[in-house]
Amino acid sequence: NVGIFLVAAIGLGILIVGSVLLLGRLNETIQVHNEHLVFRWYVILKDILSRMILAFKLWIEQPAVLGVAVLLSLATFLVGYFSGWVLISQGAGADIKFVEWIAVSVVMYFLILLPISINGLGLQEAGLVFVLPLMGVSPEASLLYAVLIRLLQLLLSIPGGFLLWVGKKQVESET
């Protein structure tokens, strides 16, 4: 149990440090560049906030939409956690409880959100290779699991990327 708390504390520390670095970098960028960049950031933030306000209005007017979205999100995460837990506990023969696996998965999720690599490439793998041996998984099995999960994520994102590309081409041809 101490190992889980240690991993969670390290993950939280990394998240805080990454956030501070990101905010410092944004501040530095705005100070160094001209007003055009500041205006561009303003337009981007205004667009994001307006979309968020529209989403909040929809949730207030139709709370069932929010409920369905939350349930679908929860189901998606639970299926992902469960499949990862089955793979690591059955495939690697590790004695990891489901709740412990969820804790590891949440820490890894926040680790890959750090803006220091593209799509958390390398962060997730390094995190899993560091954490899983602390939980009784061999380093080899940890690395294999990390690489397989990355390949699976890439494979599953290809259809979405293709649809996004096709949709963008259709919008460009219509304008």
Side-chain angles (χ1 to χ4, degrees):
N1 289 339
V2 174
I4 301 258
F5 290 114
L6 179 64
V7 168
I10 291 171
L12 184 60
I14 290 172
L15 181 64
I16 290 170
V17 169
S19 299
V20 168
L21 290 174
L22 176 64
L23 290 175
R25 178 80 172 132
L26 288 176
N27 189 29
E28 196 178 290
T29 302
I30 290 172
Q31 288 176 356
V32 170
H33 290 82
N34 60 17
E35 292 178 9
H36 183 272
L37 180 63
V38 174
F39 179 73
R40 193 166 131 206
W41 274 100
Y42 170 76
V43 170
I44 291 170
L45 289 175
K46 183 180 174 187
D47 181 52
I48 290 171
L49 287 175
S50 66
R51 283 190 274 156
M52 286 176 61
I53 289 169
L54 285 175
F56 286 133
K57 283 182 182 177
L58 175 65
W59 294 341
I60 288 170
E61 293 169 0
Q62 299 176 7
V65 172
L66 176 61
V68 169
V70 168
L71 288 175
L72 286 173
S73 250
L74 183 63
T76 300
F77 275 103
L78 285 175
V79 165
Y81 295 152
F82 183 74
S83 61
W85 176 67
V86 167
L87 280 173
I88 206 68
S89 65
Q90 299 299 314
D95 185 27
I96 300 174
K97 295 180 180 130
F98 184 60
V99 175
E100 293 173 337
W101 180 251
I102 289 177
V104 168
S105 297
V106 168
V107 170
M108 291 302 116
Y109 177 75
F110 283 112
L111 181 67
I112 65 173
L113 290 178
L114 292 176
I116 57 177
S117 77
I118 297 173
N119 198 23
L121 190 60
L123 294 173
Q124 175 178 304
E125 292 77 9
L128 287 169
V129 169
F130 173 75
V131 171
L132 291 179
L134 298 175
M135 302 180 82
V137 179
S138 72
E140 297 84 9
S142 301
L143 180 60
L144 178 63
Y145 176 77
V147 170
L148 288 176
I149 287 300
R150 176 61 68 182
L151 290 174
L152 183 62
Q153 289 170 341
L154 290 173
L155 182 68
L156 292 175
S157 64
I158 288 173
F162 178 73
L163 291 174
L164 183 65
W165 180 69
V166 167
K168 186 176 179 181
K169 289 291 183 189
Q170 287 178 348
V171 169
E172 288 174 356
S173 67
E174 291 174 0
T175 55

